[in-house]
Amino acid sequence: MNETVHDENVGKWTMVIDLDQCTGCQACVTACSMENNVAFVGEADAAYGRGMHWIRVVREWNGEMPDLTADFRPVMCQQCGEAPCEPVCPVFASTKSVPEQINLQVYNRCIGTRYCGNNCPYIARTFNWFDYERPEPLNFQLNPDVTVRSRGVMEKCTFCVQRIRRGEEDANAEGRPVHDGDVTPACAQACPAQAITFGDITDPESRVAKLARSARAERFLEEVGTEPRVIYLKGNGKVVREG
Ligand code: SF4
């Protein structure tokens, strides 16, 4: 993908992740969980496959030992233009915002069928099997800008929509448009390698628009036709040493 192709129906907020820069440290996973009040499921439920992170870092191996290399791919909701989660929800809890086309999850509409999670090729959605506890003092760290989800509700990355709203409100109060860099999701803010960039791809001068024009730009599982708004910059692989 060498040029920025934008369709009004696909939205403007875009994330670009440089796999060459990602070291797999998982700071983005932690920051996302803290920002978005993601539940701590505990060791037993995690072992049962009920982890609730909104981002997971996938290791991708290339070649064979001793020439083995690895890339780390942070995977969150890909904010698909043609989102497979949406048509299968019987109550339209998985839907897009207007006009930005951010894929949202309407928590108080969700009835927990999990059809959306099963239909997501990125396995980006997580389900609240229980009302997970936050014993003191962990309850004090909850972000008041984000809903605390209850049992039986599906959830996933929103591109930190609360931060997008804050950026828009601040710009509105100052009587100006939102500038590139005004909105930074928690994952991008926390990434020590600055592997994650976020912005408006309809602005040809924005950092994401420039990165999206890179010869290394690709979309994850592009062949399934979901038209994701997360763009990855291909990595060359990090050398893996024996022992
Ligand atoms: S914080 Fe940055 S370097 Fe670490 S895993 Fe996430 S994207 Fe990769």
Side-chain angles (χ1 to χ4, degrees):
M1 193 182 70
N2 296 329
E3 59 184 38
T4 303
V5 179
H6 180 70
D7 175 343
E8 281 301 314
N9 293 324
V10 177
K12 65 179 187 178
W13 295 112
T14 301
M15 183 174 283
V16 178
I17 304 176
D18 189 338
L19 300 189
D20 250 353
Q21 283 175 241
C22 176
T23 62
C25 71
Q26 309 221 25
C28 53
V29 178
T30 306
C32 169
S33 294
M34 298 304 103
E35 168 75 14
N36 292 295
N37 300 336
V38 176
F40 313 118
V41 304
E43 203 173 331
D45 263 14
Y48 208 70
R50 291 174 177 167
M52 291 209 64
H53 308 298
W54 286 7
I55 307 176
R56 71 182 192 284
V57 180
V58 176
R59 273 175 300 183
E60 296 178 350
W61 302 106
N62 315 303
E64 299 287 338
M65 274 299 198
D67 300 318
L68 186 64
T69 62
D71 277 313
F72 302 99
R73 184 189 296 271
V75 179
M76 64 290 288
C77 171
Q78 303 286 296
Q79 293 291 338
C80 305
E82 298 291 339
C85 53
E86 292 175 7
V88 295
C89 179
V91 293
F92 304 104
S94 179
T95 187
K96 286 208 173 61
S97 67
V98 177
E100 299 154 306
Q101 301 291 302
I102 294 175
N103 176 271
L104 301 173
Q105 181 70 10
V106 185
Y107 300 128
N108 59 359
R109 202 186 283 165
C110 175
I111 55 172
T113 62
R114 294 180 286 132
Y115 294 155
C116 56
N118 290 330
N119 220 32
C120 173
Y122 305 103
I123 320 175
R125 293 173 158 258
T126 63
F127 186 67
N128 286 268
W129 289 93
F130 302 104
D131 281 325
Y132 294 101
E133 291 180 6
R134 291 181 177 81
E136 276 193 42
L138 294 178
N139 56 327
F140 295 128
Q141 74 176 29
L142 289 173
N143 182 354
D145 292 336
V146 179
T147 313
V148 176
R149 284 76 61 188
S150 56
R151 182 176 67 168
V153 170
M154 191 62 88
E155 59 181 62
K156 52 112 211 161
C157 162
T158 63
F159 270 177
C160 281
V161 67
Q162 67 280 2
R163 291 190 177 210
I164 294 175
R165 293 286 172 269
R166 177 66 59 88
E168 289 170 342
E169 285 165 11
D170 287 350
N172 201 26
E174 294 167 18
R176 60 169 177 84
V178 178
H179 295 147
D180 190 32
D182 279 354
V183 179
T184 307
C187 56
Q189 184 180 1
C191 177
Q194 299 187 353
I196 304 176
T197 309
F198 186 77
D200 177 0
I201 201 167
T202 62
D203 171 5
E205 294 305 312
S206 71
R207 291 169 302 156
V208 288
K210 289 176 181 168
L211 290 170
R213 292 194 288 268
S214 160
R216 291 197 291 132
E218 63 174 8
R219 291 187 165 99
F220 192 28
L221 302 181
E222 193 164 12
E223 61 277 15
V224 296
T226 50
E227 297 183 13
R229 275 184 291 127
V230 176
I231 296 170
Y232 292 93
L233 302 185
K234 270 183 223 160
N236 286 317
K238 283 112 191 141
V239 175
V240 178
R241 299 195 204 298
E242 269 183 288

mmCIF file of all heavy atoms in Angstrom, residues 121-147:
data_model
loop_
_atom_site.group_PDB
_atom_site.id
_atom_site.type_symbol
_atom_site.label_atom_id
_atom_site.label_comp_id
_atom_site.label_asym_id
_atom_site.label_seq_id
_atom_site.Cartn_x
_atom_site.Cartn_y
_atom_site.Cartn_z
ATOM 1 N N PRO A 121 -11.840 -11.518 12.986
ATOM 2 C CA PRO A 121 -10.659 -12.293 12.587
ATOM 3 C C PRO A 121 -9.412 -11.915 13.369
ATOM 4 O O PRO A 121 -8.408 -12.630 13.321
ATOM 5 C CB PRO A 121 -10.510 -11.963 11.099
ATOM 6 C CG PRO A 121 -11.211 -10.668 10.908
ATOM 7 C CD PRO A 121 -12.299 -10.604 11.933
ATOM 8 N N TYR A 122 -9.451 -10.781 14.074
ATOM 9 C CA TYR A 122 -8.282 -10.309 14.822
ATOM 10 C C TYR A 122 -8.310 -10.735 16.294
ATOM 11 O O TYR A 122 -7.386 -10.439 17.036
ATOM 12 C CB TYR A 122 -8.189 -8.778 14.719
ATOM 13 C CG TYR A 122 -8.163 -8.335 13.279
ATOM 14 C CD1 TYR A 122 -9.302 -7.802 12.674
ATOM 15 C CD2 TYR A 122 -7.025 -8.493 12.500
ATOM 16 C CE1 TYR A 122 -9.292 -7.432 11.334
ATOM 17 C CE2 TYR A 122 -7.005 -8.134 11.170
ATOM 18 C CZ TYR A 122 -8.148 -7.600 10.590
ATOM 19 O OH TYR A 122 -8.133 -7.241 9.267
ATOM 20 N N ILE A 123 -9.382 -11.400 16.704
ATOM 21 C CA ILE A 123 -9.572 -11.819 18.102
ATOM 22 C C ILE A 123 -9.315 -10.620 19.016
ATOM 23 O O ILE A 123 -8.563 -10.679 19.987
ATOM 24 C CB ILE A 123 -8.678 -13.010 18.475
ATOM 25 C CG1 ILE A 123 -8.627 -14.015 17.314
ATOM 26 C CG2 ILE A 123 -9.181 -13.721 19.725
ATOM 27 C CD1 ILE A 123 -7.671 -15.175 17.555
ATOM 28 N N ALA A 124 -9.935 -9.491 18.676
ATOM 29 C CA ALA A 124 -9.657 -8.241 19.363
ATOM 30 C C ALA A 124 -10.671 -7.926 20.459
ATOM 31 O O ALA A 124 -10.533 -6.937 21.157
ATOM 32 C CB ALA A 124 -9.637 -7.092 18.351
ATOM 33 N N ARG A 125 -11.709 -8.777 20.596
ATOM 34 C CA ARG A 125 -12.768 -8.484 21.564
ATOM 35 C C ARG A 125 -12.652 -9.400 22.769
ATOM 36 O O ARG A 125 -12.264 -10.553 22.637
ATOM 37 C CB ARG A 125 -14.135 -8.683 20.904
ATOM 38 C CG ARG A 125 -14.365 -7.671 19.829
ATOM 39 C CD ARG A 125 -15.611 -7.913 19.030
ATOM 40 N NE ARG A 125 -15.968 -6.652 18.428
ATOM 41 C CZ ARG A 125 -16.931 -5.848 18.881
ATOM 42 N NH1 ARG A 125 -17.684 -6.218 19.898
ATOM 43 N NH2 ARG A 125 -17.156 -4.692 18.316
ATOM 44 N N THR A 126 -12.984 -8.868 23.937
ATOM 45 C CA THR A 126 -12.939 -9.688 25.146
ATOM 46 C C THR A 126 -14.280 -9.581 25.866
ATOM 47 O O THR A 126 -14.999 -8.584 25.748
ATOM 48 C CB THR A 126 -11.818 -9.242 26.098
ATOM 49 O OG1 THR A 126 -12.081 -7.913 26.534
ATOM 50 C CG2 THR A 126 -10.463 -9.282 25.413
ATOM 51 N N PHE A 127 -14.590 -10.623 26.604
ATOM 52 C CA PHE A 127 -15.909 -10.738 27.220
ATOM 53 C C PHE A 127 -15.794 -10.746 28.740
ATOM 54 O O PHE A 127 -14.915 -11.416 29.291
ATOM 55 C CB PHE A 127 -16.568 -12.038 26.740
ATOM 56 C CG PHE A 127 -17.986 -12.198 27.184
ATOM 57 C CD1 PHE A 127 -18.987 -11.361 26.713
ATOM 58 C CD2 PHE A 127 -18.338 -13.194 28.086
ATOM 59 C CE1 PHE A 127 -20.303 -11.517 27.117
ATOM 60 C CE2 PHE A 127 -19.652 -13.344 28.495
ATOM 61 C CZ PHE A 127 -20.632 -12.507 28.009
ATOM 62 N N ASN A 128 -16.668 -10.019 29.391
ATOM 63 C CA ASN A 128 -16.708 -9.995 30.865
ATOM 64 C C ASN A 128 -17.506 -11.204 31.365
ATOM 65 O O ASN A 128 -18.738 -11.184 31.356
ATOM 66 C CB ASN A 128 -17.405 -8.720 31.363
ATOM 67 C CG ASN A 128 -16.544 -7.499 31.209
ATOM 68 O OD1 ASN A 128 -15.819 -7.114 32.112
ATOM 69 N ND2 ASN A 128 -16.608 -6.881 30.042
ATOM 70 N N TRP A 129 -16.799 -12.219 31.782
ATOM 71 C CA TRP A 129 -17.492 -13.405 32.293
ATOM 72 C C TRP A 129 -18.052 -13.153 33.689
ATOM 73 O O TRP A 129 -19.021 -13.770 34.108
ATOM 74 C CB TRP A 129 -16.545 -14.602 32.333
ATOM 75 C CG TRP A 129 -16.205 -15.101 30.961
ATOM 76 C CD1 TRP A 129 -15.134 -14.749 30.199
ATOM 77 C CD2 TRP A 129 -16.977 -16.013 30.171
ATOM 78 N NE1 TRP A 129 -15.168 -15.382 28.986
ATOM 79 C CE2 TRP A 129 -16.293 -16.174 28.955
ATOM 80 C CE3 TRP A 129 -18.165 -16.713 30.384
ATOM 81 C CZ2 TRP A 129 -16.767 -17.004 27.936
ATOM 82 C CZ3 TRP A 129 -18.621 -17.545 29.366
ATOM 83 C CH2 TRP A 129 -17.927 -17.682 28.168
ATOM 84 N N PHE A 130 -17.408 -12.262 34.416
ATOM 85 C CA PHE A 130 -17.836 -11.994 35.802
ATOM 86 C C PHE A 130 -17.725 -10.496 36.073
ATOM 87 O O PHE A 130 -17.162 -9.751 35.278
ATOM 88 C CB PHE A 130 -16.936 -12.748 36.798
ATOM 89 C CG PHE A 130 -16.932 -14.237 36.591
ATOM 90 C CD1 PHE A 130 -15.849 -14.853 35.991
ATOM 91 C CD2 PHE A 130 -18.020 -15.016 36.976
ATOM 92 C CE1 PHE A 130 -15.843 -16.232 35.778
ATOM 93 C CE2 PHE A 130 -18.023 -16.385 36.769
ATOM 94 C CZ PHE A 130 -16.937 -16.993 36.172
ATOM 95 N N ASP A 131 -18.254 -10.087 37.225
ATOM 96 C CA ASP A 131 -17.985 -8.732 37.723
ATOM 97 C C ASP A 131 -16.677 -8.805 38.496
ATOM 98 O O ASP A 131 -16.661 -9.193 39.664
ATOM 99 C CB ASP A 131 -19.131 -8.248 38.628
ATOM 100 C CG ASP A 131 -20.322 -7.776 37.826
ATOM 101 O OD1 ASP A 131 -20.121 -7.200 36.737
ATOM 102 O OD2 ASP A 131 -21.463 -7.990 38.272
ATOM 103 N N TYR A 132 -15.603 -8.474 37.825
ATOM 104 C CA TYR A 132 -14.292 -8.621 38.448
ATOM 105 C C TYR A 132 -14.082 -7.541 39.504
ATOM 106 O O TYR A 132 -14.430 -6.379 39.301
ATOM 107 C CB TYR A 132 -13.194 -8.561 37.389
ATOM 108 C CG TYR A 132 -13.257 -9.740 36.437
ATOM 109 C CD1 TYR A 132 -13.815 -9.607 35.174
ATOM 110 C CD2 TYR A 132 -12.792 -10.991 36.822
ATOM 111 C CE1 TYR A 132 -13.890 -10.686 34.309
ATOM 112 C CE2 TYR A 132 -12.872 -12.079 35.965
ATOM 113 C CZ TYR A 132 -13.418 -11.918 34.718
ATOM 114 O OH TYR A 132 -13.505 -12.987 33.872
ATOM 115 N N GLU A 133 -13.498 -7.937 40.628
ATOM 116 C CA GLU A 133 -13.330 -7.008 41.751
ATOM 117 C C GLU A 133 -12.081 -6.154 41.575
ATOM 118 O O GLU A 133 -11.107 -6.592 40.976
ATOM 119 C CB GLU A 133 -13.213 -7.801 43.055
ATOM 120 C CG GLU A 133 -14.500 -8.473 43.459
ATOM 121 C CD GLU A 133 -14.338 -9.248 44.747
ATOM 122 O OE1 GLU A 133 -13.260 -9.171 45.366
ATOM 123 O OE2 GLU A 133 -15.307 -9.932 45.115
ATOM 124 N N ARG A 134 -12.148 -4.970 42.133
ATOM 125 C CA ARG A 134 -10.975 -4.106 42.233
ATOM 126 C C ARG A 134 -10.829 -3.725 43.695
ATOM 127 O O ARG A 134 -11.312 -2.668 44.117
ATOM 128 C CB ARG A 134 -11.137 -2.843 41.385
ATOM 129 C CG ARG A 134 -11.121 -3.118 39.893
ATOM 130 C CD ARG A 134 -11.270 -1.841 39.110
ATOM 131 N NE ARG A 134 -11.177 -2.065 37.683
ATOM 132 C CZ ARG A 134 -12.164 -2.500 36.922
ATOM 133 N NH1 ARG A 134 -13.340 -2.757 37.444
ATOM 134 N NH2 ARG A 134 -11.990 -2.667 35.632
ATOM 135 N N PRO A 135 -10.187 -4.578 44.483
ATOM 136 C CA PRO A 135 -10.074 -4.285 45.913
ATOM 137 C C PRO A 135 -9.259 -3.015 46.158
ATOM 138 O O PRO A 135 -8.351 -2.708 45.382
ATOM 139 C CB PRO A 135 -9.366 -5.521 46.480
ATOM 140 C CG PRO A 135 -8.735 -6.199 45.308
ATOM 141 C CD PRO A 135 -9.511 -5.828 44.106
ATOM 142 N N GLU A 136 -9.608 -2.283 47.231
ATOM 143 C CA GLU A 136 -8.845 -1.064 47.555
ATOM 144 C C GLU A 136 -7.371 -1.395 47.650
ATOM 145 O O GLU A 136 -7.022 -2.454 48.166
ATOM 146 C CB GLU A 136 -9.333 -0.500 48.898
ATOM 147 C CG GLU A 136 -10.549 0.364 48.756
ATOM 148 C CD GLU A 136 -10.827 1.166 50.024
ATOM 149 O OE1 GLU A 136 -9.854 1.700 50.615
ATOM 150 O OE2 GLU A 136 -11.991 1.227 50.400
ATOM 151 N N PRO A 137 -6.470 -0.542 47.203
ATOM 152 C CA PRO A 137 -6.712 0.784 46.618
ATOM 153 C C PRO A 137 -6.877 0.770 45.098
ATOM 154 O O PRO A 137 -6.875 1.823 44.484
ATOM 155 C CB PRO A 137 -5.438 1.536 47.005
ATOM 156 C CG PRO A 137 -4.370 0.481 46.921
ATOM 157 C CD PRO A 137 -5.021 -0.805 47.366
ATOM 158 N N LEU A 138 -7.020 -0.400 44.464
ATOM 159 C CA LEU A 138 -7.077 -0.426 43.001
ATOM 160 C C LEU A 138 -8.294 0.319 42.461
ATOM 161 O O LEU A 138 -8.280 0.818 41.336
ATOM 162 C CB LEU A 138 -7.097 -1.881 42.501
ATOM 163 C CG LEU A 138 -5.822 -2.706 42.766
ATOM 164 C CD1 LEU A 138 -5.999 -4.125 42.274
ATOM 165 C CD2 LEU A 138 -4.631 -2.064 42.080
ATOM 166 N N ASN A 139 -9.363 0.395 43.275
ATOM 167 C CA ASN A 139 -10.561 1.099 42.801
ATOM 168 C C ASN A 139 -10.299 2.589 42.597
ATOM 169 O O ASN A 139 -10.949 3.237 41.798
ATOM 170 C CB ASN A 139 -11.717 0.886 43.774
ATOM 171 C CG ASN A 139 -11.370 1.304 45.184
ATOM 172 O OD1 ASN A 139 -10.214 1.174 45.606
ATOM 173 N ND2 ASN A 139 -12.341 1.804 45.921
ATOM 174 N N PHE A 140 -9.287 3.138 43.294
ATOM 175 C CA PHE A 140 -9.004 4.572 43.168
ATOM 176 C C PHE A 140 -8.358 4.931 41.840
ATOM 177 O O PHE A 140 -8.251 6.095 41.490
ATOM 178 C CB PHE A 140 -8.094 5.043 44.312
ATOM 179 C CG PHE A 140 -8.764 4.927 45.656
ATOM 180 C CD1 PHE A 140 -8.132 4.258 46.691
ATOM 181 C CD2 PHE A 140 -10.009 5.474 45.881
ATOM 182 C CE1 PHE A 140 -8.743 4.131 47.927
ATOM 183 C CE2 PHE A 140 -10.623 5.355 47.113
ATOM 184 C CZ PHE A 140 -10.003 4.679 48.139
ATOM 185 N N GLN A 141 -7.864 3.939 41.130
ATOM 186 C CA GLN A 141 -7.178 4.271 39.876
ATOM 187 C C GLN A 141 -8.121 4.274 38.679
ATOM 188 O O GLN A 141 -7.696 4.544 37.558
ATOM 189 C CB GLN A 141 -6.053 3.277 39.620
ATOM 190 C CG GLN A 141 -6.562 1.912 39.180
ATOM 191 C CD GLN A 141 -5.429 0.980 38.836
ATOM 192 O OE1 GLN A 141 -4.342 1.097 39.382
ATOM 193 N NE2 GLN A 141 -5.665 0.065 37.931
ATOM 194 N N LEU A 142 -9.407 3.990 38.907
ATOM 195 C CA LEU A 142 -10.340 3.955 37.770
ATOM 196 C C LEU A 142 -10.388 5.314 37.074
ATOM 197 O O LEU A 142 -10.413 6.360 37.725
ATOM 198 C CB LEU A 142 -11.738 3.562 38.253
ATOM 199 C CG LEU A 142 -11.896 2.105 38.692
ATOM 200 C CD1 LEU A 142 -13.274 1.889 39.314
ATOM 201 C CD2 LEU A 142 -11.683 1.161 37.525
ATOM 202 N N ASN A 143 -10.427 5.281 35.759
ATOM 203 C CA ASN A 143 -10.492 6.504 34.967
ATOM 204 C C ASN A 143 -11.951 6.971 34.904
ATOM 205 O O ASN A 143 -12.804 6.262 34.351
ATOM 206 C CB ASN A 143 -9.960 6.209 33.560
ATOM 207 C CG ASN A 143 -9.941 7.434 32.677
ATOM 208 O OD1 ASN A 143 -10.431 8.501 33.057
ATOM 209 N ND2 ASN A 143 -9.378 7.284 31.487
ATOM 210 N N PRO A 144 -12.258 8.146 35.454
ATOM 211 C CA PRO A 144 -13.653 8.598 35.467
ATOM 212 C C PRO A 144 -14.210 8.906 34.082
ATOM 213 O O PRO A 144 -15.421 9.053 33.922
ATOM 214 C CB PRO A 144 -13.616 9.862 36.343
ATOM 215 C CG PRO A 144 -12.206 10.326 36.270
ATOM 216 C CD PRO A 144 -11.351 9.110 36.091
ATOM 217 N N ASP A 145 -13.353 9.013 33.077
ATOM 218 C CA ASP A 145 -13.826 9.292 31.716
ATOM 219 C C ASP A 145 -14.294 8.035 30.987
ATOM 220 O O ASP A 145 -14.754 8.124 29.845
ATOM 221 C CB ASP A 145 -12.703 9.934 30.882
ATOM 222 C CG ASP A 145 -12.374 11.324 31.373
ATOM 223 O OD1 ASP A 145 -13.245 11.949 31.999
ATOM 224 O OD2 ASP A 145 -11.239 11.778 31.135
ATOM 225 N N VAL A 146 -14.116 6.875 31.619
ATOM 226 C CA VAL A 146 -14.415 5.614 30.924
ATOM 227 C C VAL A 146 -15.362 4.770 31.775
ATOM 228 O O VAL A 146 -15.169 4.630 32.981
ATOM 229 C CB VAL A 146 -13.103 4.830 30.648
ATOM 230 C CG1 VAL A 146 -13.403 3.506 29.954
ATOM 231 C CG2 VAL A 146 -12.158 5.663 29.795
ATOM 232 N N THR A 147 -16.360 4.191 31.113
ATOM 233 C CA THR A 147 -17.336 3.331 31.786
ATOM 234 C C THR A 147 -16.655 2.096 32.384
ATOM 235 O O THR A 147 -15.739 1.546 31.779
ATOM 236 C CB THR A 147 -18.370 2.818 30.758
ATOM 237 O OG1 THR A 147 -18.803 3.909 29.984
ATOM 238 C CG2 THR A 147 -19.534 2.135 31.419
#
